[in-house]
Amino acid sequence: MSGAPSAFWLVPVAALLISGALLIRTGMQRGPRITISFTTAESLEAGKTRVRYRDVEIGRLKDLHLSTDRTHVLADVQLDDSAKQFAACGTRYWVVRPRIGMTGISGLSTAISGAYIAADTAPASRACKAFVGLEAPPFVTRDRKGKRFVLHADSLGSLTAGSPLLFRRVQAGQVLGYALSADGAEVDVDVFVNAPYDQYVTSGTVWWQASGIDMSFGSDGFRLDTQSVASLLSGGIAFDTLKRAPAPRPAPEGASFVLATDRTQATQGAADGTAARVFMRFEQSLRGLSIGAPVDFHGVELGRVAAIDVDFDPATGRIDMIAALDLYPTRLGRRYRQALGNGDSAAGRNLLHRLIANGLRGQLRMGSVLTGQRYVALDFFPRAPKVAFDPQRTPVELPTVPNTLEELQDQLAGIVDKLDRVPFDQIGRSLDTTLQTAASLFQRVDTELMPEARATLSAAQQSFDAANATLAHGSPLQSDLQGALTELRRTLVSLNSLADYLQQHPESIVWGKSLTRPGQQ
């Protein structure tokens, strides 16, 4: 009995074997251990925080510690054996917690259940041990069906990550993110269109920024355009496919498009082909003409103002205003397109030459009295002066005529300038001197000549009265005839003397009779 092993030792040996078997089984069922880097450990607790995929637990946070440079927090996560594929390189992890942003509120359920680490699978690849966690949840997970596209814009505007994509005012996707291009000349916007809306994105699709309220005052009046409430808060992008686009093809994944600032800019180029850049030279101020103002031909909008510049000639000192216009001549109709031939540029230039010879000119006109905005009008002016036009010159420069109202203002300004140069003060002083001289002359006539004339006429009246008395009825003619003849002779002598004197001295009518004349005693 003493040499046989005691049954007492069999119990602990069996327990050790069972524990080892359990440990081996547990180790075999345990998945990979990974490390996720976050900028902060907010809402994370070692031993409590779960790792979830579609609300199914796939692991647990085991430990938290700082990185060696103390700039990040390293979270040690133990994945389950069934979640080995989440250790593949490219898997995305982020912390789900309550968030309030421009695109809405998310993660409210974690206010009760606590924050957790969410995962998004990656395509099958090699396994990794270290991952960089996302600071915000991705707007699109990899299992969502749809297509991603890249939009090139001059500026970001009011767009942000999560801004909606609208197809005929139906939300069809989201903005994933944005970044400046390599040269910094434009902004590249990454967007995702959900299925089945991605089938409507073709080679003829146009994109434009669609804010909540698009309100503008222009030369064409007041315009108000609205989109969705979501785009009112965070901006948005709208897209549509033009029916006139020739044979549109479905756009492949990752295709690039141009993002216009509004629907007008997006549709005008896509529907009418490439714009023709022309220039117009104005000698007047372009105040009130803004970028994007329409170019009108008899009510048909042919294009838009693309740029405004100043041209200074140092040799002559002349300053002209240059307006660059993007025109779509094909909008003039089918016959005009037929006249152009098969897109032959030489035919188009020759046709333009004939139109200018017939009086085609550009003119700046008032579009809205309320806003003061102007536009450029193309019209025929048969009486316009002939101009030299070189159809081979590039870029094309169209002749212009001044606005009728402004031309009238210039003429009135010229008249006012001429009136300003008239010496009204000098004319007034000369007129005043002339009036004073005339007044003096009339005074001398009244004081010198008139007394002489009155004396002569009085003497003649007396002579006539005496003759009348002599020849009156009942007078003794016989006895007084000699006296009457004598008085009459005296009267005639006086009149002859007056006549001779006036004939010899006519100036006495103005200056009067002098008492002593040169050569008289």
Side-chain angles (χ1 to χ4, degrees), residues 481-503:
L481 181 58
Q482 187 65 34
L485 292 174
T486 301
E487 292 296 332
L488 182 59
R489 188 181 298 108
R490 290 178 181 176
T491 301
L492 293 175
V493 170
S494 298
L495 291 175
N496 289 333
S497 176
L498 176 61
D500 293 340
Y501 181 84
L502 292 176
Q503 184 177 5

Side-chain angles (χ1 to χ4, degrees), residues 371-383:
T371 63
Q373 295 294 315
R374 299 187 178 188
Y375 69 96
V376 177
L378 282 175
D379 208 338
F380 285 95
F381 299 86
R383 298 181 181 179

Side-chain angles (χ1 to χ4, degrees), residues 304-367:
R304 293 274 174 172
V305 176
I308 299 175
D309 201 357
V310 179
D311 184 23
F312 173 69
D313 187 357
T316 60
R318 176 175 173 175
I319 299 178
D320 292 334
M321 306 302 296
I322 305 297
L325 314 176
D326 285 339
L327 302 183
Y328 300 92
T330 55
R331 295 184 180 181
L332 291 176
R334 176 178 55 85
R335 293 188 177 182
Y336 184 85
R337 291 192 292 270
Q338 291 177 350
L340 291 179
N342 297 324
D344 187 4
S345 60
R349 290 177 181 270
N350 291 333
L351 179 58
L352 181 60
H353 190 191
R354 294 199 302 271
L355 294 176
I356 292 176
N358 292 333
L360 181 66
R361 300 289 188 273
Q363 188 181 59
L364 192 64
R365 294 179 181 176
M366 181 68 69

